[in-house]
Amino acid sequence: MHRGSTLVLVSVWSAVPALVAQDPAPREHRLHYARPAARWTEALPVGNGRLGAMVFGGVAEERIQINEDSIWAGPPVPRHPEGARAALGEARTLLLAGKHAEAQKVVAERFMGTHEGVRSYQPFGDLRLRFVLGGEPERYARELDLDTATATTRFVAGGVTHVREVFASAPGQVLVVRLAADRPGRIEVEAELTRAAGATTGAPADDVLELAGRASHGDANPGVRFHGVLQVVAQGGAVARSGAGLRVRGADEVVLYLGVATDYHRAAPHAPLQRDLRAAARAAVLDAAALPFAELRAVQLDDHRRLFRRCTLELGAPDPRPTDARLAALRAGGADPGLAALYFHYGRYLLICASRPGDLPANLQGLWNEHLQAPWNADYHVNINLQMNYWPAGPANLPECEEPLFALVDGLRVTGRGLARDVLGCRGFAVGHTTDAWHYAALSGAPVWGMWPFGGAWCARHFYEHWRFGGDPTFLRERAWPVLRETCEFLLDWLVEDPRTGLLVSGPTTSPENTFVAPDGSRLSLSMGTAMDHQIAWDAFTNLLEAARALGVDDALVAAVAKARARLAPPRVGRDGRLLEWGEELVEAEPGHRHMSHLFALHPGRQITPSGTPALAAAAERVLAARLAQGGGHTGWSRAWLVNFCARLGQGDAAAEHLRLLLAKSTLPNLFDDHPPFQIDGNFGGTAGIAEMLVQSHADAIELLPALPQAWPAGAVRGLRARGAVTVDLGWDAARPVAVTLTPDHAGRLRLRLREDVDLERMDGGEPLPRDAGGVVEIAGEAGVPLRLRGRARTLPDTPRTGRMPR
């Protein structure tokens, strides 16, 4: 947020909170509960990007489950069989001849990479605390403060007030637990580090615990070695060994510092780091413990708030009810706009905690996992889930949090070049539908999900979007451009001419992870001309051409991309008015499928927009209606995608209803997304969807309140980002913007596409800003200088309210 961008709100603003310059915390920034967590999905997450913990808030016994982002079981990784390249060519020929079943058999038997054991992301272990208390607990409360990134438990026992705080410091690279009481000498606790398997524990000193081990699955797939050191510092009282743990007696206050080191080599995963893990973990702990606690805390708060306070959303007065009670009321049909704001802030919080520069990206569970074998290994699914994790980074003003994704893609470019060259017969790089900490790129598993080499191409758009939101020419030239070039090299070689049409088509591929019914009644998944492939190719080609213009590049590759985009098979509409998912009209085997891959062009892409391609937008709308009629959106992340689709279509009420359903049906008590089971992508997708409802900028202009629901008639948002490197502060009342501040990072023309029912004028008065026939207003912007505007109603003929914002 650009400091000094105060919004002065007009009189109709009385129902809307004022926006202030000192970057305050949002009002909805606390998850709170009246009882301890009974299971993992009720515990509260903290994290610093690398170290994470789930805090249960127990009274006599506390469990703090701990993760470190690089603790993964190891290779071997999937590899393609000999002769895979020849099998690919054979399958493509069969598909072009209409022989789907024969082609799929060739791919399944002779092409797909085989799974090589299990390589799950794994927990470090648990910190178990057992307390001696002076009585039964009263006035219990636990909370997660998103603004301080602290999980706190409070209660009274025997007349003593106990306060326990847990946070993870990114500057200090430690997990910190503080135990306090309001009477001296009343803390008595035993501490122990435990792990279900694969580790040893010990107490090498009276105030130190250690846990060391190696991630594996029994004797199979040995992976990352790790070592944790826990230092206990007590004020007053005594600390001593007690069995496998430590015991503190008669203390006034206790602080526990945990450091964890691993031998995972982030730059070269297959070459373990050669270092003393114990010494590395101990150094972090000693450095943290040497600081006065108040100083350690202040540094952690400054670091977290630098990111978290950039953006706030207000949708009404804070609700005092416990968070689980609010969820229950919503499920019962109650309205709670503030819960949507809390969910938005929680999504930003989770990304800050799970993805920091230098760390691994947020995986299927973000950072938090209690299982030695997690669902889907908590890996990186690259056919939507990993990408969805990073959808909020640009609009919600967290560009630094994308750096782990970029580092992963840079690693995948190395292995992906081998896949493209040796197996697919192409230049550039390609990635299948999954990968993990070992950076494998192979197309593995069953064809229905595995025969899809577009994971790298989808990830490439995040580099370009990062530049669109940030405007850094160095990033575009040095980071984004090489990825875009290699992506387009692969696509140019992968696409082939359809002999029936002369157009370029992709294949053989699946439309993730859907199936169709063959003429003989069998369920198949592979075809030529899958819609999503072409939409991703159009997106990659368009991004490269725009980047080339920005960088002044005009070479043979740019010319080839321009020609290929013109020949690329376009989106097609079927006889029933729906956008086709495959290159021909095929019967869906599962009409309510969770993936809606052929709507990539609507979101996150930009090939289909209501203003630019209204017929295709209408066809996309029919796809959504048909999928929902058959039970679509039944997983958390799929429902979150629906929020974004409806926002892009300007359907504010529909977007809000899908957000309500996401909270009511697919959200766990701690607000984690429920696939089921827990999968964090829905949190991030829902957060991005809320941003899309308020500000859009994908279609070459900034749109204010493009999908505002009737349930949010008044509100305020500060610190959203728009493409073109613009910070947007926005207040609205009666469903119209009343105060707008745009702060561009760079000088240039700002383009705003206004709704039909809204005019804008400068805050200091004057006539409404002139708009063109498409409702676009252009204003000159100066770098770093806030441009303050006021909205007012524009007279329109009376029209019934449809839930779609006026265009």
Side-chain angles (χ1 to χ4, degrees):
M1 166 78 184
H2 178 81
R3 296 183 183 271
S5 56
T6 304
L7 290 185
V8 179
L9 303 178
V10 296
S11 59
V12 296
W13 187 247
S14 58
V16 183
L19 300 178
V20 296
Q22 55 266 34
D23 292 352
R27 294 191 296 178
E28 285 278 9
H29 68 270
R30 293 170 58 248
L31 283 68
H32 64 107
Y33 304 84
R35 60 182 181 273
R39 58 187 188 273
W40 192 86
T41 51
E42 295 177 356
L44 298 174
V46 298
N48 64 9
R50 186 180 68 87
L51 284 172
M54 296 292 287
V55 183
F56 282 66
V59 176
E61 294 189 12
E62 171 66 297
R63 178 190 177 196
I64 301 173
Q65 185 267 311
I66 301 161
N67 289 99
E68 198 277 350
D69 70 347
S70 68
I71 298 177
W72 290 70
V77 297
R79 299 183 185 278
H80 286 272
E82 292 292 329
R85 184 169 173 179
L88 175 66
E90 184 177 335
R92 182 176 284 156
T93 299
L94 288 167
L95 282 175
L96 289 171
K99 299 179 179 180
H100 293 86
E102 294 91 332
Q104 186 147 328
K105 186 173 187 293
V106 168
V107 169
E109 295 179 356
R110 295 164 44 200
F111 177 83
M112 298 304 300
T114 56
H115 283 293
E116 299 286 352
V118 178
R119 295 170 312 283
S120 184
Y121 174 57
Q122 296 189 345
F124 165 77
D126 286 359
L127 171 60
R128 300 278 184 164
L129 302 174
R130 290 178 290 276
F131 297 89
V132 177
L133 301 172
E136 292 299 312
E138 302 175 295
R139 300 199 292 277
Y140 176 91
R142 68 183 175 103
E143 71 171 35
L144 176 64
D145 188 325
L146 307 181
D147 184 53
T148 64
T150 304
T152 303
T153 304
R154 294 183 180 87
F155 60 90
V156 176
V160 178
T161 299
H162 294 265
V163 179
R164 302 169 184 165
E165 298 174 308
V166 183
F167 62 89
S169 169
Q173 285 299 301
V174 288
L175 182 71
V176 182
V177 181
R178 179 175 175 264
L179 313 174
D182 68 348
R183 293 189 187 179
R186 301 302 292 269
I187 298 177
E188 186 168 339
V189 60
E190 290 187 357
E192 186 177 3
L193 290 173
T194 67
R195 194 175 196 264
T200 59
T201 61
D206 283 344
D207 59 353
V208 175
L209 285 177
E210 296 187 3
L211 184 149
R214 187 176 191 184
S216 66
H217 296 282
D219 295 329
N221 293 84
V224 174
R225 291 181 173 87
F226 54 89
H227 198 115
V229 174
L230 181 77
Q231 178 87 44
V232 178
V233 178
Q235 292 183 15
V239 184
R241 295 181 180 93
S242 176
L246 301 178
R247 182 164 188 165
V248 181
R249 295 175 182 265
D252 305 333
E253 178 179 297
V254 178
V255 182
L256 302 91
Y257 304 89
L258 176 69
V260 180
T262 78
D263 69 349
Y264 181 76
H265 197 317
R266 294 169 191 268
H270 292 275
L273 283 176
Q274 302 300 313
R275 63 169 176 164
D276 185 331
L277 300 183
R278 181 180 186 274
R282 184 162 176 75
V285 165
L286 292 177
D287 287 346
L291 291 174
F293 180 82
E295 183 178 342
L296 176 74
R297 181 69 159 149
V299 170
Q300 176 264 332
L301 285 174
D302 287 346
D303 172 77
H304 175 73
R305 286 173 170 168
R306 175 180 58 85
L307 299 171
F308 183 73
R309 288 193 173 186
R310 285 180 188 165
C311 185
T312 63
L313 172 63
E314 311 291 358
L315 293 175
D319 192 315
R321 293 174 296 174
T323 303
D324 49 354
R326 296 175 71 178
L327 272 177
L330 192 76
R331 293 185 181 113
D336 192 347
L339 188 58
L342 179 62
Y343 192 79
F344 174 79
H345 298 138
Y346 189 51
R348 295 183 69 254
Y349 167 86
L350 292 173
L351 191 57
I352 293 167
C353 291
S355 186
R356 292 287 199 104
D359 300 328
L360 287 173
N363 59 47
L364 279 177
Q365 295 190 193
L367 179 61
W368 302 276
N369 164 48
E370 67 171 339
H371 304 288
L372 291 177
Q373 183 171 343
W376 298 282
N377 298 325
D379 65 10
Y380 302 114
H381 270 52
V382 200
N383 62 0
I384 187 173
N385 312 92
L386 174 63
Q387 292 91 338
M388 184 180 283
N389 284 358
Y390 289 91
W391 285 354
N397 211 343
L398 294 172
E400 301 94 327
C401 294
E402 286 186 291
E403 181 55 38
L405 173 64
F406 299 150
L408 175 67
V409 174
D410 284 340
L412 288 170
R413 287 165 64 197
V414 177
T415 51
R417 288 176 194 131
L419 170 66
R421 179 186 63 247
D422 301 333
V423 180
L424 306 179
C426 301
R427 295 170 297 164
F429 85 106
V431 178
H433 82 293
T434 60
T435 190
D436 59 20
W438 308 104
H439 295 181
Y440 75 89
L443 280 59
S444 62
V448 65
W449 52 76
M451 187 60 206
W452 191 76
F454 277 73
W458 189 339
C459 286
R461 82 179 316 272
H462 284 258
F463 287 78
Y464 187 65
E465 286 286 274
H466 185 88
W467 174 73
R468 292 184 80 195
F469 279 104
D472 179 2
T474 301
F475 179 88
L476 179 64
R477 181 174 58 255
E478 296 181 2
R479 297 294 303 278
W481 181 249
V483 177
L484 293 172
R485 284 189 69 95
E486 284 197 275
T487 297
C488 290
E489 286 173 342
F490 163 70
L491 293 170
L492 289 172
D493 292 351
W494 171 259
L495 298 168
V496 297
E497 183 177 299
D498 185 335
R500 298 167 297 180
T501 64
L503 299 174
L504 295 178
V505 295
S506 171
T509 55
T510 182
S511 180
E513 300 167 4
N514 207 355
T515 56
F516 55 86
V517 180
D520 65 359
S522 61
R523 290 178 62 156
L524 299 173
S525 56
L526 301 189
S527 69
M528 298 295 293
T530 302
M532 179 185 237
D533 295 2
H534 299 167
Q535 293 169 13
I536 291 176
W538 185 93
D539 189 72
F541 289 162
T542 300
N543 292 342
L544 180 130
L545 294 173
E546 291 180 359
R549 284 195 293 272
L551 295 172
V553 176
D554 185 11
D555 59 14
L557 179 69
V558 172
V561 166
K563 290 179 181 179
R565 189 178 68 166
R567 294 184 59 207
L568 188 63
R572 294 178 56 206
V573 178
R575 287 170 294 180
D576 62 0
R578 288 185 295 161
L579 204 66
L580 291 183
E581 183 163 2
W582 296 279
E584 53 191 303
E585 293 206 48
L586 298 168
V587 177
E588 297 159 296
E590 190 181 339
H593 198 268
R594 63 195 177 278
H595 283 260
M596 288 162 272
S597 302
H598 50 316
L599 300 189
F600 174 95
L602 177 64
H603 183 278
R606 53 186 168 129
Q607 189 178 4
I608 295 176
T609 65
S611 59
T613 57
L616 291 177
E621 229 178 296
R622 293 188 183 97
V623 169
L624 293 175
R627 282 286 165 93
L628 290 168
Q630 298 295 326
H634 52 277
T635 67
W637 65 262
S638 184
R639 183 69 67 182
W641 204 1
L642 286 165
V643 178
N644 288 272
F645 286 142
C646 292
R648 286 281 176 96
L649 290 169
Q651 299 175 353
D653 289 344
E657 174 62 10
H658 288 302
L659 182 62
R660 187 191 71 79
L661 291 170
L662 176 64
L663 287 163
K665 293 186 174 184
S666 298
T667 298
L668 294 159
N670 62 0
L671 297 191
F672 271 172
D673 174 64
D674 195 15
H675 177 77
F678 162 54
Q679 202 168 284
I680 205 166
D681 41 19
N683 287 102
F684 296 132
T687 299
I690 293 169
E692 290 278 349
M693 294 165 73
L694 301 175
V695 175
Q696 294 178 20
S697 58
H698 58 286
D700 300 320
I702 299 171
E703 298 187 55
L704 306 176
L705 306 180
L708 187 72
Q710 296 181 76
W712 303 349
V717 67
R718 173 183 54 78
L720 286 179
R721 290 286 281 180
R723 294 165 183 85
V726 180
T727 299
V728 180
D729 301 341
L730 171 64
W732 68 93
D733 191 38
R736 293 185 179 89
V738 294
V740 181
T741 296
L742 306 174
T743 308
D745 291 356
H746 313 285
R749 304 291 292 177
L750 301 182
R751 289 169 49 86
L752 285 82
R753 183 176 290 108
L754 303 184
R755 286 171 18 198
E756 295 174 355
D757 62 337
V758 171
D759 274 327
L760 283 182
E761 62 189 26
R762 294 184 182 275
M763 193 66 82
D764 55 7
E767 294 297 316
L769 298 172
R771 61 170 78 201
D772 65 18
V776 174
V777 168
E778 289 201 14
I779 320 170
E782 299 180 42
V785 178
L787 178 63
R788 296 184 176 88
L789 305 171
R790 178 168 50 221
R792 68 183 192 184
R794 185 168 181 253
T795 303
L796 288 174
D798 289 337
T799 55
R801 182 65 189 262
T802 64
R804 186 191 306 269
M805 297 309 297
R807 289 281 179 179

mmCIF file of all heavy atoms in Angstrom, residues 332-361:
data_model
loop_
_atom_site.group_PDB
_atom_site.id
_atom_site.type_symbol
_atom_site.label_atom_id
_atom_site.label_comp_id
_atom_site.label_asym_id
_atom_site.label_seq_id
_atom_site.Cartn_x
_atom_site.Cartn_y
_atom_site.Cartn_z
ATOM 1 N N ALA A 332 -26.869 -22.970 8.483
ATOM 2 C CA ALA A 332 -28.301 -22.975 8.790
ATOM 3 C C ALA A 332 -29.066 -21.926 7.999
ATOM 4 O O ALA A 332 -30.279 -21.773 8.191
ATOM 5 C CB ALA A 332 -28.506 -22.763 10.284
ATOM 6 N N GLY A 333 -28.374 -21.189 7.138
ATOM 7 C CA GLY A 333 -29.042 -20.204 6.293
ATOM 8 C C GLY A 333 -28.838 -18.768 6.692
ATOM 9 O O GLY A 333 -29.422 -17.867 6.072
ATOM 10 N N GLY A 334 -28.003 -18.500 7.691
ATOM 11 C CA GLY A 334 -27.760 -17.130 8.110
ATOM 12 C C GLY A 334 -26.855 -16.375 7.159
ATOM 13 O O GLY A 334 -26.139 -16.968 6.341
ATOM 14 N N ALA A 335 -26.903 -15.060 7.237
ATOM 15 C CA ALA A 335 -26.033 -14.197 6.432
ATOM 16 C C ALA A 335 -24.899 -13.687 7.293
ATOM 17 O O ALA A 335 -25.101 -13.365 8.467
ATOM 18 C CB ALA A 335 -26.830 -13.028 5.861
ATOM 19 N N ASP A 336 -23.706 -13.603 6.719
ATOM 20 C CA ASP A 336 -22.541 -13.151 7.481
ATOM 21 C C ASP A 336 -21.493 -12.600 6.517
ATOM 22 O O ASP A 336 -20.487 -13.247 6.239
ATOM 23 C CB ASP A 336 -21.964 -14.307 8.297
ATOM 24 C CG ASP A 336 -20.939 -13.862 9.336
ATOM 25 O OD1 ASP A 336 -20.493 -12.696 9.263
ATOM 26 O OD2 ASP A 336 -20.572 -14.670 10.209
ATOM 27 N N PRO A 337 -21.697 -11.384 5.976
ATOM 28 C CA PRO A 337 -20.697 -10.822 5.066
ATOM 29 C C PRO A 337 -19.320 -10.720 5.701
ATOM 30 O O PRO A 337 -18.300 -10.873 5.026
ATOM 31 C CB PRO A 337 -21.263 -9.431 4.726
ATOM 32 C CG PRO A 337 -22.730 -9.537 4.984
ATOM 33 C CD PRO A 337 -22.868 -10.499 6.135
ATOM 34 N N GLY A 338 -19.273 -10.450 7.024
ATOM 35 C CA GLY A 338 -17.984 -10.340 7.692
ATOM 36 C C GLY A 338 -17.185 -11.628 7.647
ATOM 37 O O GLY A 338 -15.951 -11.594 7.656
ATOM 38 N N LEU A 339 -17.853 -12.767 7.582
ATOM 39 C CA LEU A 339 -17.148 -14.037 7.491
ATOM 40 C C LEU A 339 -16.438 -14.153 6.144
ATOM 41 O O LEU A 339 -15.350 -14.733 6.063
ATOM 42 C CB LEU A 339 -18.115 -15.199 7.692
ATOM 43 C CG LEU A 339 -17.499 -16.591 7.804
ATOM 44 C CD1 LEU A 339 -16.508 -16.667 8.960
ATOM 45 C CD2 LEU A 339 -18.598 -17.648 7.974
ATOM 46 N N ALA A 340 -17.025 -13.589 5.095
ATOM 47 C CA ALA A 340 -16.347 -13.554 3.794
ATOM 48 C C ALA A 340 -15.084 -12.707 3.881
ATOM 49 O O ALA A 340 -14.042 -13.068 3.313
ATOM 50 C CB ALA A 340 -17.282 -13.013 2.723
ATOM 51 N N ALA A 341 -15.153 -11.575 4.587
ATOM 52 C CA ALA A 341 -13.956 -10.742 4.772
ATOM 53 C C ALA A 341 -12.899 -11.488 5.570
ATOM 54 O O ALA A 341 -11.707 -11.442 5.240
ATOM 55 C CB ALA A 341 -14.331 -9.430 5.463
ATOM 56 N N LEU A 342 -13.309 -12.183 6.628
ATOM 57 C CA LEU A 342 -12.363 -12.961 7.421
ATOM 58 C C LEU A 342 -11.715 -14.047 6.571
ATOM 59 O O LEU A 342 -10.507 -14.296 6.672
ATOM 60 C CB LEU A 342 -13.077 -13.577 8.622
ATOM 61 C CG LEU A 342 -12.229 -14.445 9.556
ATOM 62 C CD1 LEU A 342 -11.111 -13.621 10.195
ATOM 63 C CD2 LEU A 342 -13.103 -15.092 10.632
ATOM 64 N N TYR A 343 -12.506 -14.695 5.729
ATOM 65 C CA TYR A 343 -11.990 -15.744 4.854
ATOM 66 C C TYR A 343 -10.958 -15.179 3.874
ATOM 67 O O TYR A 343 -9.932 -15.808 3.594
ATOM 68 C CB TYR A 343 -13.153 -16.370 4.092
ATOM 69 C CG TYR A 343 -12.831 -17.652 3.372
ATOM 70 C CD1 TYR A 343 -12.757 -18.864 4.054
ATOM 71 C CD2 TYR A 343 -12.630 -17.671 1.997
ATOM 72 C CE1 TYR A 343 -12.485 -20.048 3.391
ATOM 73 C CE2 TYR A 343 -12.361 -18.852 1.324
ATOM 74 C CZ TYR A 343 -12.291 -20.039 2.028
ATOM 75 O OH TYR A 343 -12.018 -21.205 1.363
ATOM 76 N N PHE A 344 -11.214 -13.983 3.364
ATOM 77 C CA PHE A 344 -10.263 -13.308 2.472
ATOM 78 C C PHE A 344 -8.948 -13.038 3.206
ATOM 79 O O PHE A 344 -7.862 -13.340 2.694
ATOM 80 C CB PHE A 344 -10.882 -12.004 1.973
ATOM 81 C CG PHE A 344 -9.964 -11.141 1.151
ATOM 82 C CD1 PHE A 344 -9.732 -11.426 -0.179
ATOM 83 C CD2 PHE A 344 -9.330 -10.036 1.710
ATOM 84 C CE1 PHE A 344 -8.890 -10.632 -0.946
ATOM 85 C CE2 PHE A 344 -8.496 -9.242 0.962
ATOM 86 C CZ PHE A 344 -8.264 -9.538 -0.376
ATOM 87 N N HIS A 345 -9.043 -12.486 4.415
ATOM 88 C CA HIS A 345 -7.819 -12.206 5.187
ATOM 89 C C HIS A 345 -7.092 -13.496 5.559
ATOM 90 O O HIS A 345 -5.856 -13.538 5.573
ATOM 91 C CB HIS A 345 -8.174 -11.420 6.449
ATOM 92 C CG HIS A 345 -8.800 -10.090 6.174
ATOM 93 N ND1 HIS A 345 -9.867 -9.602 6.875
ATOM 94 C CD2 HIS A 345 -8.524 -9.147 5.237
ATOM 95 C CE1 HIS A 345 -10.214 -8.416 6.400
ATOM 96 N NE2 HIS A 345 -9.408 -8.119 5.407
ATOM 97 N N TYR A 346 -7.848 -14.545 5.846
ATOM 98 C CA TYR A 346 -7.256 -15.829 6.204
ATOM 99 C C TYR A 346 -6.486 -16.418 5.020
ATOM 100 O O TYR A 346 -5.389 -16.961 5.189
ATOM 101 C CB TYR A 346 -8.367 -16.778 6.639
ATOM 102 C CG TYR A 346 -7.914 -18.085 7.253
ATOM 103 C CD1 TYR A 346 -6.992 -18.113 8.293
ATOM 104 C CD2 TYR A 346 -8.467 -19.288 6.826
ATOM 105 C CE1 TYR A 346 -6.613 -19.312 8.884
ATOM 106 C CE2 TYR A 346 -8.106 -20.494 7.420
ATOM 107 C CZ TYR A 346 -7.176 -20.502 8.439
ATOM 108 O OH TYR A 346 -6.816 -21.699 9.013
ATOM 109 N N GLY A 347 -7.042 -16.300 3.817
ATOM 110 C CA GLY A 347 -6.328 -16.786 2.638
ATOM 111 C C GLY A 347 -5.007 -16.072 2.441
ATOM 112 O O GLY A 347 -3.981 -16.700 2.136
ATOM 113 N N ARG A 348 -4.991 -14.757 2.594
ATOM 114 C CA ARG A 348 -3.748 -14.009 2.492
ATOM 115 C C ARG A 348 -2.778 -14.437 3.603
ATOM 116 O O ARG A 348 -1.580 -14.609 3.359
ATOM 117 C CB ARG A 348 -4.006 -12.495 2.582
ATOM 118 C CG ARG A 348 -4.824 -11.944 1.428
ATOM 119 C CD ARG A 348 -4.974 -10.428 1.528
ATOM 120 N NE ARG A 348 -3.711 -9.753 1.287
ATOM 121 C CZ ARG A 348 -2.959 -9.184 2.221
ATOM 122 N NH1 ARG A 348 -3.342 -9.194 3.495
ATOM 123 N NH2 ARG A 348 -1.839 -8.587 1.911
ATOM 124 N N TYR A 349 -3.285 -14.609 4.808
ATOM 125 C CA TYR A 349 -2.458 -15.060 5.929
ATOM 126 C C TYR A 349 -1.815 -16.409 5.614
ATOM 127 O O TYR A 349 -0.611 -16.608 5.838
ATOM 128 C CB TYR A 349 -3.338 -15.156 7.176
ATOM 129 C CG TYR A 349 -2.701 -15.887 8.335
ATOM 130 C CD1 TYR A 349 -1.872 -15.224 9.230
ATOM 131 C CD2 TYR A 349 -2.940 -17.250 8.545
ATOM 132 C CE1 TYR A 349 -1.287 -15.895 10.300
ATOM 133 C CE2 TYR A 349 -2.364 -17.923 9.605
ATOM 134 C CZ TYR A 349 -1.534 -17.247 10.478
ATOM 135 O OH TYR A 349 -0.953 -17.916 11.524
ATOM 136 N N LEU A 350 -2.596 -17.354 5.106
ATOM 137 C CA LEU A 350 -2.068 -18.688 4.822
ATOM 138 C C LEU A 350 -0.972 -18.640 3.766
ATOM 139 O O LEU A 350 0.020 -19.374 3.854
ATOM 140 C CB LEU A 350 -3.201 -19.613 4.372
ATOM 141 C CG LEU A 350 -4.233 -19.979 5.435
ATOM 142 C CD1 LEU A 350 -5.379 -20.761 4.807
ATOM 143 C CD2 LEU A 350 -3.605 -20.760 6.579
ATOM 144 N N LEU A 351 -1.128 -17.781 2.761
ATOM 145 C CA LEU A 351 -0.086 -17.688 1.731
ATOM 146 C C LEU A 351 1.190 -17.083 2.308
ATOM 147 O O LEU A 351 2.302 -17.532 1.990
ATOM 148 C CB LEU A 351 -0.596 -16.863 0.548
ATOM 149 C CG LEU A 351 0.285 -16.905 -0.707
ATOM 150 C CD1 LEU A 351 0.488 -18.329 -1.204
ATOM 151 C CD2 LEU A 351 -0.320 -16.039 -1.812
ATOM 152 N N ILE A 352 1.053 -16.082 3.159
ATOM 153 C CA ILE A 352 2.223 -15.496 3.821
ATOM 154 C C ILE A 352 2.939 -16.556 4.661
ATOM 155 O O ILE A 352 4.175 -16.646 4.663
ATOM 156 C CB ILE A 352 1.797 -14.313 4.713
ATOM 157 C CG1 ILE A 352 1.276 -13.155 3.865
ATOM 158 C CG2 ILE A 352 2.961 -13.834 5.584
ATOM 159 C CD1 ILE A 352 0.545 -12.083 4.665
ATOM 160 N N CYS A 353 2.169 -17.378 5.367
ATOM 161 C CA CYS A 353 2.752 -18.377 6.270
ATOM 162 C C CYS A 353 3.338 -19.573 5.533
ATOM 163 O O CYS A 353 4.205 -20.266 6.084
ATOM 164 C CB CYS A 353 1.692 -18.864 7.250
ATOM 165 S SG CYS A 353 1.175 -17.629 8.456
ATOM 166 N N ALA A 354 2.863 -19.853 4.318
ATOM 167 C CA ALA A 354 3.253 -21.081 3.619
ATOM 168 C C ALA A 354 4.214 -20.860 2.472
ATOM 169 O O ALA A 354 4.740 -21.841 1.933
ATOM 170 C CB ALA A 354 2.001 -21.789 3.087
ATOM 171 N N SER A 355 4.478 -19.623 2.074
ATOM 172 C CA SER A 355 5.255 -19.401 0.855
ATOM 173 C C SER A 355 6.046 -18.105 0.963
ATOM 174 O O SER A 355 5.517 -17.025 0.689
ATOM 175 C CB SER A 355 4.305 -19.344 -0.357
ATOM 176 O OG SER A 355 5.019 -19.277 -1.566
ATOM 177 N N ARG A 356 7.306 -18.233 1.342
ATOM 178 C CA ARG A 356 8.198 -17.074 1.454
ATOM 179 C C ARG A 356 9.408 -17.297 0.545
ATOM 180 O O ARG A 356 9.793 -18.442 0.273
ATOM 181 C CB ARG A 356 8.673 -16.904 2.892
ATOM 182 C CG ARG A 356 7.607 -16.495 3.886
ATOM 183 C CD ARG A 356 7.182 -15.043 3.721
ATOM 184 N NE ARG A 356 6.512 -14.557 4.917
ATOM 185 C CZ ARG A 356 7.056 -13.745 5.812
ATOM 186 N NH1 ARG A 356 8.294 -13.311 5.661
ATOM 187 N NH2 ARG A 356 6.373 -13.352 6.867
ATOM 188 N N PRO A 357 10.048 -16.231 0.085
ATOM 189 C CA PRO A 357 11.236 -16.383 -0.765
ATOM 190 C C PRO A 357 12.282 -17.285 -0.116
ATOM 191 O O PRO A 357 12.566 -17.183 1.085
ATOM 192 C CB PRO A 357 11.744 -14.944 -0.905
ATOM 193 C CG PRO A 357 10.516 -14.103 -0.773
ATOM 194 C CD PRO A 357 9.672 -14.806 0.248
ATOM 195 N N GLY A 358 12.832 -18.190 -0.909
ATOM 196 C CA GLY A 358 13.829 -19.123 -0.424
ATOM 197 C C GLY A 358 13.266 -20.433 0.059
ATOM 198 O O GLY A 358 14.020 -21.381 0.321
ATOM 199 N N ASP A 359 11.936 -20.523 0.183
ATOM 200 C CA ASP A 359 11.303 -21.738 0.670
ATOM 201 C C ASP A 359 10.655 -22.484 -0.489
ATOM 202 O O ASP A 359 10.596 -21.999 -1.617
ATOM 203 C CB ASP A 359 10.256 -21.397 1.732
ATOM 204 C CG ASP A 359 10.863 -20.674 2.932
ATOM 205 O OD1 ASP A 359 12.031 -20.969 3.248
ATOM 206 O OD2 ASP A 359 10.175 -19.828 3.524
ATOM 207 N N LEU A 360 10.130 -23.671 -0.190
ATOM 208 C CA LEU A 360 9.388 -24.421 -1.190
ATOM 209 C C LEU A 360 7.992 -23.824 -1.355
ATOM 210 O O LEU A 360 7.468 -23.180 -0.438
ATOM 211 C CB LEU A 360 9.287 -25.885 -0.783
ATOM 212 C CG LEU A 360 10.589 -26.693 -0.912
ATOM 213 C CD1 LEU A 360 10.413 -28.092 -0.323
ATOM 214 C CD2 LEU A 360 11.020 -26.789 -2.364
ATOM 215 N N PRO A 361 7.356 -24.041 -2.502
ATOM 216 C CA PRO A 361 6.009 -23.487 -2.692
ATOM 217 C C PRO A 361 4.986 -24.152 -1.779
ATOM 218 O O PRO A 361 5.214 -25.249 -1.248
ATOM 219 C CB PRO A 361 5.696 -23.802 -4.167
ATOM 220 C CG PRO A 361 6.947 -24.270 -4.782
ATOM 221 C CD PRO A 361 7.828 -24.766 -3.691
#
